[in-house]
Amino acid sequence: PGNIEGTDFTDISAGATRVCALDSAGTISCYQNPVFVNQLVPPEGSGFTSLAVGYQHGCALTAEGQLSCFGDRYIRPLTTFLP
């Protein structure tokens, strides 16, 4: 959506139709093409330290080492990718 003033981003990751950014507080924001019905909704809260976004999924890691994944479960369950 253009520049986002007043936000200090520390990490960014892009998928096929979306991009997610991690700010200095550890909060995730995602932006995507509005044409697509399946919206990628990031986890709420702060304290995330890194993130990765793929075609229909995203995962974020907390400072405590907890993994939080989000995305379209219709395509493939997220547990398919986790050990």
Side-chain angles (χ1 to χ4, degrees):
N3 292 335
I4 303 171
E5 295 185 31
T7 304
D8 296 321
F9 291 110
T10 59
D11 197 6
I12 188 168
S13 183
T17 60
R18 63 209 73 219
V19 62
C20 292
L22 181 67
D23 68 20
S24 58
T27 303
I28 300 170
S29 301
C30 293
Y31 309 92
Q32 64 189 19
N33 186 332
V35 172
F36 295 93
V37 176
N38 297 326
Q39 301 292 314
L40 187 65
V41 179
E44 294 182 5
S46 59
F48 294 100
T49 58
S50 63
L51 76 133
V53 175
Y55 180 68
Q56 293 288 342
H57 301 89
C59 289
L61 189 64
T62 67
E64 294 80 26
Q66 297 295 313
L67 184 64
S68 179
C69 293
F70 52 99
D72 186 354
R73 294 177 183 194
Y74 177 75
I75 300 273
R76 182 176 291 166
L78 293 176
T79 54
T80 302
F81 304 105
L82 301 176

